[in-house]
Amino acid sequence: MVRGTEMAGRIPLVLLACGSFNPITHQHMRLFELARDHMQQTGLYRVVAGIVSPVGDDYGKQGLVASKHRLAMARLALKSSDWVSVDDWESQQTDWTETVVTMRYHYNRIAAQYHSSKDPPTGSDVPQLKLLCGADFMDTFKVPGLWRDDHVEEVVGRFGLVCVSRGSLQPDRAIHESDLLSKHRRRIFLVQEWVHNEISATEVRRALRRGQSVKYLLPDTVIEYIKEHNLYTQDSEMRNKDVKLRPLTKQTIQD
C-alpha cells in the first residue's frame, strides 16, 4: 500500500469504465482495484476516483437489459466502495453515445468541479481521466466500422488507456498490430492480473437462464435484485437478436 505522504506532488487520476455491465460482476469491480494499485505504483499518479458508466439501451447488444436495472445492480454492487461510483449520464442519452463523447463529458465535469473548488488552480493538480478496460476491449479496435480513427486517437492519445490483462488475451499484441495504438503506446498502461479472474457476464447470464447458481460470481445483493425483477431469462436474451450494433449504423451514417 502506498502511504499518503508518498502521494504528495503526484498527478490526480480518475479511472472511467464504460460498458454494458450486464450484469456487473466481481471481475468488473476487480479491474478498478488492480488498476489503482498499478497506477499508484508507477510513482506518478494518485487515483482519486473511479466511475462506472453503463451504456445506453440503444447500444443494440443482444440480451442487454434495461439501463435502469443495470444501473441499480451496479450501485448495489459498489455500495461498499469508498472511491468508485456509478454515473447515469451515458445511459440517459437519447441515443447511443460514443466512448470519446462520454470521456469528454466526464473530463469537463471533473475539471469544472476542480476549478470551482480551487483558487487559483494549478495545472499539475488538475485531475487526468483515463479509460479503464479489460484486455478483451482491445480487440474491439480491430472490428471494422466499430471505431472511428479520430475517436481512437482522442481516447488513447489525449486521455490514455489502462488495460488489465485477462486470461490468455494479449493486449500488447493488439497494440503491436495497430499503427494507431502503437503510435500512442506510451499512453497505454498494461496491468498484469496475476490472480486470474475469468468471470464472464455472458456466462453468468447463461447460468441464470438455465436456473443455475451464480453465487460468488456476483454480489449477493445483485443476485437478489435479479431474482426480484426476473432478469436474464430466455426471453430477455432474445432482445436485440437481429439488431445491428448502434456504433456500426451510427458511424456509417456519419461517414
Side-chain angles (χ1 to χ4, degrees):
M1 179 171 293
V2 184
R3 296 173 182 170
T5 54
E6 297 176 33
M7 294 293 182
R10 292 191 180 192
I11 302 166
L13 175 63
V14 177
L15 299 170
L16 170 68
C18 299
S20 299
F21 301 101
N22 188 40
I24 193 168
T25 70
H26 285 302
Q27 165 72 3
H28 291 131
M29 295 183 283
R30 279 296 296 161
L31 292 181
F32 281 93
E33 298 296 325
L34 291 162
R36 179 170 67 166
D37 284 346
H38 179 88
M39 296 306 286
Q40 292 189 162
Q41 286 166 4
T42 65
L44 300 174
Y45 300 95
R46 57 183 174 90
V47 176
V48 295
I51 303 169
V52 167
S53 178
V55 73
D57 294 339
D58 290 330
Y59 182 52
K61 189 173 184 180
Q62 183 173 341
L64 189 68
V65 303
S67 60
K68 67 178 182 181
H69 293 308
R70 292 181 286 115
L71 286 162
M73 289 186 286
R75 287 177 175 134
L76 286 169
L78 289 162
K79 198 170 184 180
S80 63
S81 177
D82 62 358
W83 69 282
V84 184
S85 61
V86 181
D87 188 272
D88 66 358
W89 181 84
E90 180 181 357
S91 65
Q92 299 306 305
Q93 301 309 297
T94 55
D95 192 3
W96 168 78
T97 302
E98 295 94 333
T99 299
V100 70
V101 174
T102 301
M103 294 196 77
R104 290 173 194 157
Y105 164 78
H106 283 288
Y107 179 78
N108 291 336
R109 179 182 59 82
I110 292 164
Q113 289 176 346
Y114 169 82
H115 284 291
S116 66
S117 64
K118 296 277 187 180
D119 186 28
T122 58
S124 61
D125 289 335
V126 176
Q128 288 190 10
L129 178 72
K130 296 189 185 300
L131 186 66
L132 171 62
C133 66
D136 50 342
F137 179 87
M138 300 294 283
D139 288 333
T140 69
F141 291 124
K142 301 178 184 178
V143 179
L146 194 63
W147 285 87
R148 287 171 41 179
D149 284 353
D150 58 323
H151 286 182
V152 177
E153 183 87 32
E154 187 171 351
V155 168
V156 184
R158 176 189 174 193
F159 293 108
L161 202 62
V162 181
C163 179
V164 181
S165 69
R166 186 172 184 180
S168 60
L169 295 173
Q170 298 179 311
D172 52 343
R173 176 172 290 277
I175 297 169
H176 170 72
E177 293 176 350
S178 166
D179 289 344
L180 194 50
L181 295 179
S182 184
K183 173 185 173 183
H184 296 294
R185 65 182 310 118
R186 291 180 180 273
R187 304 283 293 165
I188 303 173
F189 296 82
L190 300 181
V191 183
Q192 182 66 49
E193 182 181 23
W194 294 109
V195 181
H196 289 178
N197 185 338
E198 294 299 309
I199 299 174
S200 159
T202 300
E203 292 300 326
V204 166
R205 293 197 305 277
R206 179 175 286 118
L208 287 165
R209 291 197 308 274
R210 295 174 179 177
Q212 298 171 345
S213 171
V214 292
K215 192 171 179 65
Y216 307 121
L217 297 178
L218 312 176
D220 288 344
T221 51
V222 173
I223 295 173
E224 288 303 314
Y225 185 93
I226 290 170
K227 289 179 180 177
E228 179 184 348
H229 295 274
N230 192 32
L231 303 180
Y232 304 117
T233 63
Q234 294 289 349
D235 288 341
S236 73
E237 192 62 23
M238 290 299 101
R239 186 180 184 189
N240 298 325
K241 182 177 185 297
D242 298 315
V243 175
K244 199 171 185 180
L245 284 178
R246 182 59 177 139
L248 298 175
T249 59
K250 185 175 184 178
Q251 288 167 178
T252 299
I253 293 169
Q254 289 176 342
D255 290 343

